[in-house]
Amino acid sequence: MIDNEKLLNQIMKAAQMGQSGIHAVMPRASQPALRQALKCQRKEYVSIEQEAVNLARKQGYQMENLSPVARSMAEVAARSRLMYGNRDSKIAGMMIQGNTRGKIESLQNMKKCPKADPAVAKLAQKMLDTEIANIRQMEGFL
């Protein structure tokens, strides 16, 4: 079992990881439609992160940012995977993989916190819905 504070921390870190992943691949995207989709996804992650921070402040929770190591791993993965071939398709595949991992973690975390505060539960569901929508959106770029 996890509490509301831990759930909010995990939501915030997942949103930060999404932003880091997008930041790492954005310069390598060639299709304007893919770049626009990534910008929209990044904006959604920024919004979710801010909601998590605001909820945490209201409750007096301490939030932990994503580690610099995790952030740099996104950049290393992008560089190594996007050296050859159809970059846009590879970017879409990487984004689908990341969102799929996020979806799994979101579902697991939601089940570990069955008595979440309604506002926290709503944000957790928003994160899950975002990940699902992002997967569907990226499928068109494979």
Side-chain angles (χ1 to χ4, degrees):
M1 297 293 258
I2 61 174
D3 59 15
N4 287 309
E5 183 175 9
K6 180 125 175 122
L7 183 57
L8 276 174
N9 262 297
Q10 291 173 336
I11 293 167
M12 186 183 80
K13 286 180 182 179
Q16 289 174 344
M17 190 65 212
Q19 291 172 63
S20 293
I22 291 169
H23 178 76
V25 300
M26 181 82 79
R28 295 164 176 90
S30 62
Q31 291 181 49
L34 176 58
R35 281 194 305 275
Q36 184 59 38
L38 292 169
K39 285 179 187 176
C40 289
Q41 288 183 12
R42 183 176 54 199
K43 184 177 178 182
E44 186 68 21
Y45 284 131
V46 168
S47 171
I48 290 169
E49 178 187 9
Q50 192 57 54
E51 284 184 56
V53 168
N54 290 340
L55 280 172
R57 278 190 190 134
K58 286 180 185 175
Q59 299 298 324
Y61 297 150
Q62 293 295 318
M63 299 298 279
E64 300 171 17
N65 285 311
L66 186 65
S67 75
V69 172
R71 291 177 192 271
S72 64
M73 285 175 54
E75 183 62 39
V76 170
R79 263 189 266 134
S80 65
R81 291 183 184 173
L82 300 176
M83 291 177 82
Y84 306 104
N86 183 340
R87 287 185 178 177
D88 289 343
S89 179
K90 288 181 180 182
I91 288 170
M94 290 170 65
M95 298 306 295
I96 289 169
Q97 289 172 349
N99 278 286
T100 299
R101 280 191 302 273
K103 176 183 167 185
I104 291 166
E105 288 177 16
S106 289
L107 286 167
Q108 290 172 335
N109 291 333
M110 289 167 72
K111 289 183 184 210
K112 289 178 188 175
C113 190
K115 296 182 182 190
D117 176 89
V120 175
K122 183 178 176 182
L123 184 58
Q125 186 63 51
K126 181 177 180 179
M127 183 65 173
L128 178 62
D129 293 343
T130 296
E131 291 160 338
I132 292 168
N134 290 351
I135 291 168
R136 285 191 195 120
Q137 187 178 39
M138 287 294 115
E139 287 172 350
F141 296 102
L142 287 174

